[in-house]
Amino acid sequence: MKKGLLSAVLLILLPFSIAASTLAYSPYLNLAAGGNAARLENEDFFRSQASLEAVIGLLGMRVGRHQIALPVTLCYHTESPKVNQLFLTESLDIGVGIRYGYSPMQGYRFLLGADFSYRYYTRMNAGLLLLSLVEENFFDISPVLSILLPLKLSLTKGELDFSLSLGISLRYDF
Amino acid sequence: MKRKITAIGIAILLFLSSCDLFMQQQEKGRIYFIAVGLGYRNSVYNALYNTINDYNGMLEQMECLFKQGGYEYYISCYDDFETAGQERVYRFSAWSSTRPEAACSYFPGTLESEKEKQEYFLDTIYENAISDTDPSYDDTLIFYYTGHGRGIGDKKAEGPVILDSPTEDFPLPYSIINKKLSSRFPGRILYIYDCCYSGLSTEDGELGKTESYKWHEDAYGNKDYHLQPPSVPEIIANAWKATFSASENKKDYVISSSHKYQLSMEYDDRPSGPNQERYGAFTYQVLRYLGYDMQKEKAMPVEQGSSFSVAGLYRYVYDNMSSSNRKHQTPNILTSRLDFEFLDI
């Protein structure tokens, strides 16, 4: 009976002990600049804004080729050009996200995930909630530094945003 | 790898610049300005002594900017201010860029009910502004009111208080103003209200507000509604409500001098600028934003190329009102996420 119980416990712990041997704490920081195209309801064209984005992944883990993270995201959008006297004002997105990543080949990896953010319109003292789907591509230059290409699709009330950026990512595996 | 990254970089640059690049700039539309200013002297209401300066300053500065910007403009107003050597008047006046001499008219005196007076007032002031033009989507209407305002629970209805004689007055609820003007005017409308409880006109916006308020009682037992540091749960709750509510992108913009439970002050309690004690705490900052010379109390042209937007005006007033005054008189805004440039010089 005791032997059987011990075997069962060892069997359950086996995957964890294997994972523990390859598991690494892997925080990262992404910095990117790019463009955001916003499609608003009742408008028949997109409005463009420049954007700056920072993703701080302090809660990040790597297991072999797999990566998981719970990052904090910050994104600043500039004012859009004026069309018919109307324009989007500056805004700041602050959010939390979840990511899963995989490295299919040496020197390249990607992260997929979602962000839940608050968008603050700085001039209006007002805001909306935002849900974003994110895909981040990393082209490794060194074990620490990568070129970053993030794509983001965001949805909020009456608005669909698509953003494309280029930046750098710093990561360190402990 | 380098080629790929360069190609991606070029694609991003093209993407950034393509969206609005080919949008053509439209010609300037007409601008209509309606101003209502009331002082209530010798009436049943307590007299307001600064509204005359607010009203005159707004009229002078707006007209100066319309001229400088090369606009075709139309001005319509109503006031109860005494002009030198004349009896007190309850007078409508109107003039325009094409007809500079003011045409004046008065209430007919045969109107009995509040509803008749409301309709006559709004029809007259609107038609005086529109004159013989046919407004279009590209035109702008600015409505400015300075005077008394009634709040929630008032027996006579919420909104501005209009006098049509020293003893006669009638309420003008925000809902009626909006219904009358917004349904008739096809372009965008900016309402600027400087009166007590005017935040009632900024309810149900497209965006969730970030301000938090609380009831405050001072040592003498006076109760007031104070702005307080924002609370994160309240901000998220407001944003959640706005994100999932049915309020849509509207063509109307409103800036109010105070929250719906707050009074509006005749002057800022911590003056920091010239002649500040002679103007409403809110309108003083509006005039400064528009470039009015507060030292000389004179309309002044602004730097060529300047532009004025609704959110820019709100932000300026909010940031420049003294913090102690803003605590119990907090400017509010009703806007869509698209800011509106109402003047381009």
Side-chain angles (χ1 to χ4, degrees):
Chain A
M1 182 67 184
K2 270 187 179 177
K3 260 187 183 176
L5 195 65
L6 193 66
S7 309
V9 170
L10 283 174
L11 204 65
I12 291 166
L13 291 177
L14 188 64
F16 291 97
S17 58
I18 294 167
S21 63
T22 56
L23 187 124
Y25 172 52
S26 178
Y28 67 97
L29 171 70
N30 296 349
L31 297 170
N36 181 61
R39 175 81 164 86
L40 275 79
E41 257 178 29
N42 308 324
E43 296 237 353
D44 55 1
F45 58 90
F46 285 90
R47 287 177 185 274
S48 67
Q49 294 171 288
S51 59
L52 291 172
E53 190 179 28
V55 179
I56 305 156
L58 284 178
L59 294 175
M61 297 281 215
R62 198 169 61 80
V63 185
R65 290 172 170 236
H66 303 273
Q67 188 181 348
I68 52 165
L70 296 170
V72 172
T73 60
L74 299 168
C75 188
Y76 168 76
H77 302 289
T78 60
E79 197 174 286
S80 77
K82 295 180 185 82
V83 179
N84 294 336
Q85 299 168 268
L86 298 173
F87 59 102
L88 282 169
T89 56
E90 294 162 343
S91 57
L92 183 68
D93 300 349
I94 303 170
V96 288
I98 185 163
R99 301 278 189 280
Y100 163 74
Y102 183 70
S103 175
M105 65 182 89
Q106 185 74 25
Y108 171 73
R109 66 200 155 85
F110 65 86
L111 287 177
L112 292 171
D115 291 337
F116 184 65
S117 313
Y118 175 79
R119 175 169 289 176
Y120 176 61
Y121 295 89
T122 55
R123 282 206 211 167
M124 298 158 177
N125 268 356
L128 286 174
L129 298 179
L130 200 70
L131 184 68
S132 309
L133 299 174
V134 185
E135 204 264 335
E136 293 165 330
N137 298 286
F138 299 85
F139 303 94
D140 296 340
I141 290 173
S142 74
V144 176
L145 182 67
S146 312
I147 296 289
L148 167 71
L149 181 72
L151 303 167
K152 196 194 263 188
L153 189 69
S154 307
L155 187 69
T156 182
K157 177 188 183 181
E159 182 178 336
L160 187 69
D161 290 9
F162 176 69
S163 72
L164 179 64
S165 312
L166 188 64
I168 55 163
S169 174
L170 298 165
R171 181 184 68 158
Y172 192 80
D173 290 348
F174 291 93
Chain B
M1 176 68 86
K2 275 185 181 173
R3 278 186 187 171
K4 274 185 186 173
I5 292 169
T6 312
I8 290 164
I10 292 169
I12 290 171
L13 277 175
L14 282 173
F15 170 72
L16 246 179
S17 57
S18 62
C19 298
D20 310 275
L21 196 65
F22 303 107
M23 296 303 299
Q24 288 182 341
Q25 283 296 316
Q26 298 247 328
E27 278 186 25
K28 279 180 183 174
R30 295 186 201 96
I31 198 152
Y32 301 93
F33 182 47
I34 295 176
V36 180
L38 297 162
Y40 309 92
R41 291 185 200 173
N42 299 331
S43 73
V44 291
Y45 293 92
N46 60 306
L48 298 174
Y49 292 96
N50 287 352
T51 48
I52 187 167
N53 300 324
D54 296 341
Y55 172 79
N56 288 337
M58 285 294 283
L59 278 174
E60 286 168 26
Q61 186 61 23
M62 282 290 191
E63 189 167 12
C64 174
L65 295 178
F66 299 158
K67 282 179 182 169
Q68 191 189 354
Y71 283 94
E72 181 183 336
Y73 66 85
Y74 296 83
I75 295 174
S76 165
C77 43
Y78 179 80
D79 65 80
D80 70 347
F81 300 119
E82 198 174 346
T83 39
Q86 288 186 6
E87 289 286 311
R88 197 177 319 283
V89 289
Y90 299 87
R91 180 185 59 181
F92 295 95
S93 8
W95 64 97
S96 67
S97 50
T98 52
R99 199 193 56 203
E101 299 83 29
C104 299
S105 65
Y106 302 87
F107 269 97
T110 55
L111 305 172
E112 296 280 325
S113 71
E114 278 181 358
K115 199 180 170 192
E116 281 178 321
K117 288 181 179 179
Q118 286 165 352
E119 287 203 353
Y120 181 84
F121 178 82
L122 287 170
D123 286 344
T124 307
I125 207 154
Y126 179 76
E127 279 155 20
N128 282 352
I130 297 312
S131 188
D132 52 358
T133 61
D134 185 16
S136 75
Y137 176 81
D138 297 326
D139 298 338
T140 303
L141 172 65
I142 302 170
F143 181 96
Y144 170 74
Y145 171 77
T146 178
H148 280 304
R150 290 197 180 98
I152 293 171
D154 195 294
K155 284 177 192 169
K156 281 203 149 192
E158 303 148 2
V161 181
I162 308 294
L163 282 190
D164 56 320
S165 77
T167 53
E168 296 283 325
D169 67 88
F170 60 93
L172 199 61
Y174 300 110
S175 55
I176 293 180
I177 302 173
N178 292 352
K179 197 174 161 189
K180 271 276 182 190
L181 300 186
S182 302
S183 62
R184 295 174 75 177
F185 190 75
R188 294 190 184 272
I189 307 179
L190 166 60
Y191 297 94
I192 304 171
Y193 292 111
D194 188 354
C195 60
C196 298
Y197 315 113
S198 49
L200 281 163
S201 60
T202 63
E203 300 274 270
D204 299 325
E206 184 183 279
L207 307 176
K209 294 182 180 184
T210 55
E211 290 100 349
S212 299
Y213 299 89
K214 65 173 178 183
W215 281 109
H216 174 265
E217 191 171 347
D218 67 14
Y220 305 102
N222 299 318
K223 285 182 180 173
D224 204 352
Y225 205 58
H226 272 199
L227 181 71
Q228 63 176 4
S231 105
V232 173
E234 202 174 336
I235 289 172
I236 293 174
N238 287 346
W240 180 279
K241 193 177 158 193
T243 307
F244 297 103
S245 76
S247 310
E248 288 178 2
N249 192 355
K250 291 172 184 167
K251 73 183 181 81
D252 299 343
Y253 292 80
V254 185
I255 297 180
S256 68
S257 57
S258 59
H259 181 268
K260 66 178 174 181
Y261 290 125
Q262 291 176 331
L263 301 174
S264 289
M265 300 296 140
E266 270 229 82
Y267 51 87
D268 201 308
D269 57 6
R270 297 275 169 86
S272 58
N275 294 313
Q276 196 160 356
E277 68 289 349
R278 288 172 39 77
Y279 294 84
F282 170 79
T283 299
Y284 184 83
Q285 303 301 346
V286 175
L287 286 168
R288 279 182 69 189
Y289 177 72
L290 295 172
Y292 190 73
D293 187 334
M294 304 310 304
Q295 186 82 46
K296 295 176 186 162
E297 297 187 283
K298 192 180 166 194
M300 291 294 279
V302 293
E303 199 177 308
Q304 205 62 33
S306 304
S307 65
F308 300 91
S309 76
V310 176
L313 169 60
Y314 164 74
R315 193 76 248 178
Y316 184 90
V317 173
Y318 189 95
D319 291 344
N320 284 282
M321 203 180 253
S322 75
S323 57
S324 64
N325 199 84
R326 188 174 59 224
K327 197 177 262 187
H328 53 82
Q329 183 190 337
T330 316
N332 274 225
I333 184 171
L334 178 81
T335 172
S336 82
R337 77 203 75 183
L338 287 169
D339 192 4
F340 171 51
E341 184 186 65
F342 59 91
L343 273 174
D344 177 23
I345 307 301

